[in-house]
């Protein structure tokens, strides 16, 4: 029975799935682009600016899709076309 707390790693050390990914890559770290860095031709940034002008926020979800929120309410949209349609319903003009 050990009285030690959880095992601590030094700052910057990889843990869990990150360490396993590094091991499988032969010591190289294979990075995946963050969801917010995906290239959509600027459509996301354009819709995000339109939403902000209407007092709403547009977020990209990690699992895919988007979340539009305003005044404590939120709507999940599967793609940017659905985001545009929803913003139009909120009175946002392109």
């Amino acid at each position: 029975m050990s009285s030690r707390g959880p095992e601590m790693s030094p700052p910057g050390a990889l843990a869990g799935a990150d360490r396993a990914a590094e091991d499988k890559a032969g010591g190289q770290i294979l990075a995946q682009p963050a969801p917010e860095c995906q290239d959509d031709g600027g459509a996301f940034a354009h819709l995000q600016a339109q939403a902000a002008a209407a007092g709403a926020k547009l977020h990209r979800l990690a699992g895919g899709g988007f979340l539009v929120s305003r005044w404590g309410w939120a709507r999940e949209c599967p793609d940017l076309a659905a985001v545009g349609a929803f913003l139009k319903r909120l009175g946002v003009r392109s």
Side-chain angles (χ1 to χ4, degrees):
M1 184 177 210
S2 173
S3 62
R4 291 180 15 187
E7 187 176 318
M8 301 298 288
S9 298
L14 296 176
D18 291 333
R19 183 175 291 156
E22 180 184 23
D23 292 342
K24 287 180 184 175
Q28 296 177 347
I29 299 174
L30 302 177
Q32 295 293 326
E36 62 272 8
C37 296
Q38 294 174 356
D39 182 23
D40 52 24
F44 175 77
H46 177 73
L47 289 172
Q48 193 173 40
Q50 286 184 323
K57 290 187 177 184
L58 175 59
H59 305 277
R60 191 184 304 264
L61 300 175
F66 304 89
L67 186 71
V68 181
S69 62
R70 180 169 83 164
W71 302 335
W73 294 88
R75 172 165 298 218
E76 187 174 348
C77 299
D79 54 33
L80 290 175
V83 169
F86 181 64
L87 290 176
K88 193 177 217 179
R89 289 181 62 195
L90 291 178
V92 175
R93 291 188 243 161
S94 45

